[in-house]
Amino acid sequence: MAKLYFKFGAMGSSKTAQALMTKFNYEEKDKTVWLIKPAIDTRDDRIENGRRIAEARSRIGLFAPADAVAEGDDLLALFRARSESAPTDVIICDECQFLTGKQVEQLKYIVDRFDVPVLCFGLRADFQTKMFPGSKRLFEIADSISEIKSICRCGRKATVNARFDENGKIITEGAQVCLGGNDKYVGMCYKCYYDRIHGEEM
């Protein structure tokens, strides 16, 4: 019986690496993987012959082409259109926090009606410790939820995605989506996050 999986972790917890290793494991068993990611995440895309190629790329160097899905895309319709020309044994979504709640529901429908497993990898919450819409819906309807653990510099478990400006000052206000990697975000425990905010306020 297929399931909708949500595997979440803080920045730097190897979410994309695990998504790509999962893809490799399925393909090694001759399974066809549909790798997708929200189109809003353009950090790792490249331009080839004037055309944007979407990729999922991890910090340790693993990468693979992915289909970019826009906010208004119907994932069920895309799945059905894809299935007309090629079988889909599993769907893997990187950066799933950027999906809409409706798109998460469409993935759940695919799991339940077509018996195709869907594995979603992404963040739980933003730099203000508030859930992303896609993550919130996954927590509500996913069949399996697991945490990809990483640690703060102090040694505690990292749970917060702290955002920093170019001067190393922690940011506590602004748009929920601001693309970046190690240049803008650090996975921290809540204690260090709280201490950093209040230390800078003094």
Side-chain angles (χ1 to χ4, degrees), residues 54-85:
E55 285 187 341
R57 182 178 292 270
S58 75
R59 293 175 304 119
I60 62 171
L62 300 176
F63 64 92
D67 283 348
V69 295
E71 184 177 346
D73 284 348
D74 183 327
L75 299 188
L76 177 57
L78 292 176
F79 170 79
R80 283 176 165 150
R82 174 187 167 86
S83 297
E84 290 178 1
S85 57

